[in-house]
Amino acid sequence: MNLTTNLGKLKLTNPVMTASGTFGYGKEYSEFIDLNQLGAIVVKGISLKPMKGNPGPRICETPCGMLNAIGLQNAGLKEFIKQQLPYLRNFNTKIIVNILGTSINEYIELAEDLEAAGVDAIELNVSCPNVKKGGIVFGTDIKIFEELIRDVRRRTRLPLITKLSPNTADIKLFAKAAEDAGSDIISLINTITGMSINIKTRRSRLANITGGLSGPAIRPVAVRMVWECFKTVNVPIIGMGGIISAEDALEFVLAGASAVAVGTANFVNPRATMDILEGIKSFMTENKINSLKELTGTVKC
């Protein structure tokens, strides 16, 4: 059985990775799983300077999911390179860094410094709905979106992943724009903007008022968007959005994903990534499938 997954220049030992913002910097889960077994670790979003994030409450549960408005809290680029990256380099897995900025120049500086630091790929966070500057603006204004990708592309040789926002009228347009601007890979979907109200206090359950909905509730939307994008672009797709089980992951593969990222499930089951990987192996064995390529994009419509 061949689980090797090629995402353009980025080669993974298997297709299961973590979704940014749900796996910290790896240490947090190292007592539960062998990090060597992951296809890739996508670390929590990194900005040029430290960010405190939004005030609490920042998370609330919803039916079949959760709302979050963390606000991209992180220790900043220098701290990541000094404190977190050396630890991650102890493992035989690819290290992908999700980056975010309030200007194109900030994204470029992050990409250049991370390339020099030796990470394996960068993921452009252009779709966080929970910050006032940057974030979703880059992911929903197609001119700014294209300009950002094109400018970062010119300044780094690292594999470039663009994480798409589902909060657009037509995600296909942004997928094609990302490909044309030089993105090597696209990943989707980020969270969907939502809101939850406490009827007793008549206040939003989140201090930020709105947040990003994740978990199984969004999976059908995500699968549909991966399928649409697979028919639109030629670059590889990383699918995510409510993957809890191997069956969920395989839905994304059939829709067109070459790899999958596990997010909210990590909060419920710290071993979710390993369970999903083993489930994929079992499915392939039972169905005499030698390579995941045999399944990618083969949904019958």
Side-chain angles (χ1 to χ4, degrees), residues 21-98:
T22 63
F23 204 71
Y25 301 109
K27 286 181 184 176
E28 297 86 339
Y29 286 83
S30 60
E31 64 179 291
F32 302 105
I33 66 170
D34 177 2
L35 300 184
N36 294 297
Q37 301 304 311
L38 287 167
I41 295 175
V42 185
V43 302
K44 186 170 174 54
I46 300 294
S47 53
L48 207 53
K49 297 180 180 178
M51 291 175 64
K52 294 190 298 183
N54 293 325
R58 307 196 293 189
I59 291 176
C60 73
E61 289 191 34
T62 65
C64 295
M66 60 178 279
L67 276 171
N68 92 83
I70 304 300
L72 299 169
Q73 177 186 0
N74 76 94
L77 177 66
K78 289 183 180 178
E79 186 71 9
F80 171 75
I81 291 175
K82 182 179 178 182
Q83 299 293 339
Q84 308 295 343
L85 190 56
Y87 172 79
L88 290 166
R89 276 295 174 217
N90 292 320
F91 300 95
N92 182 31
T93 185
K94 300 298 183 186
I95 308 302
I96 300 172
V97 180
N98 180 284

Side-chain angles (χ1 to χ4, degrees), residues 96-262:
I96 300 172
V97 180
N98 180 284
I99 64 173
L100 54 119
T102 59
S103 69
I104 291 176
N105 285 337
E106 285 190 12
Y107 279 95
I108 290 171
E109 188 171 343
L110 283 156
E112 290 179 335
D113 287 358
L114 287 165
E115 180 174 346
V119 307
D120 296 296
I122 55 175
E123 180 181 62
L124 295 177
N125 187 336
V126 293
S127 49
C128 178
N130 303 319
V131 291
K132 290 182 173 58
K133 293 182 178 178
I136 201 167
V137 173
F138 287 109
T140 55
D141 184 316
I142 202 159
K143 288 185 178 179
I144 296 174
F145 177 82
E146 289 178 312
E147 184 181 357
L148 169 66
I149 297 168
R150 192 167 289 115
D151 286 356
V152 175
R153 174 72 289 165
R154 291 188 183 117
R155 301 292 285 269
T156 181
R157 289 170 295 181
L158 287 174
L160 189 60
I161 305 166
T162 304
K163 189 170 185 175
L164 301 182
S165 170
N167 299 300
T168 61
D170 188 348
I171 199 167
K172 300 189 297 297
L173 297 177
F174 285 84
K176 189 70 173 73
E179 179 181 44
D180 292 344
S183 187
D184 300 298
I185 305 159
I186 58 173
S187 59
L188 61 146
I189 62 172
N190 206 325
T191 56
I192 297 174
T193 306
M195 184 177 180
S196 178
I197 297 172
N198 183 324
I199 61 170
K200 294 180 179 177
T201 63
R202 301 189 184 188
R203 293 181 180 277
S204 170
R205 290 189 169 90
L206 297 175
N208 192 58
I209 311 300
T210 61
L213 179 64
S214 63
I218 71 169
R219 190 169 59 246
V221 177
V223 171
R224 184 262 295 175
M225 288 186 167
V226 166
W227 174 67
E228 289 180 338
C229 289
F230 180 73
K231 295 189 298 177
T232 303
V233 300
N234 293 311
V235 294
I237 297 172
I238 301 169
M240 70 190 82
I243 295 174
I244 297 289
S245 67
E247 288 78 10
D248 301 338
L250 288 162
E251 270 196 72
F252 279 86
V253 173
L254 291 170
S258 296
V260 293
V262 181

